[in-house]
Amino acid sequence: MSAPLVRPRNHRMIAGVCAGLAQRYGTSRRTMRVIFLVSCLLPGPQFLLYLALWLLLPNEKAAATSAQSW
């Protein structure tokens, strides 16, 4: 089973979105950050997507406490 998509408390640069995506999809954090930075050179809503993920993805601690309540 794959890891849940959450923003980890450790290894954050800004909000932990790239670290969470890297953890979820099994890549390194550095690779995911480079992919995001390179994608910002292309036209599109990458920055808005990052902000949306920042707001929508739960923190690692919040996700763990909600999972325990079930």
Side-chain angles (χ1 to χ4, degrees):
M1 183 169 198
S2 59
L5 186 54
V6 294
R7 293 184 299 124
R9 297 185 71 190
N10 299 331
H11 310 297
R12 289 182 173 189
M13 291 293 276
I14 297 175
V17 173
C18 288
L21 289 171
Q23 181 179 357
R24 169 66 169 88
Y25 294 109
T27 62
S28 72
R29 293 179 302 273
R30 180 177 291 154
T31 302
M32 190 60 70
R33 290 174 185 141
V34 168
I35 289 170
F36 174 72
L37 289 174
V38 169
S39 74
C40 285
L41 298 175
L42 301 171
Q46 294 85 346
F47 188 69
L48 294 175
L49 180 64
Y50 187 90
L51 290 176
L53 288 173
W54 186 351
L55 294 173
L56 296 174
L57 290 180
N59 284 327
E60 190 174 42
K61 183 178 179 183
T65 57
S66 67
Q68 289 177 353
S69 66
W70 282 93

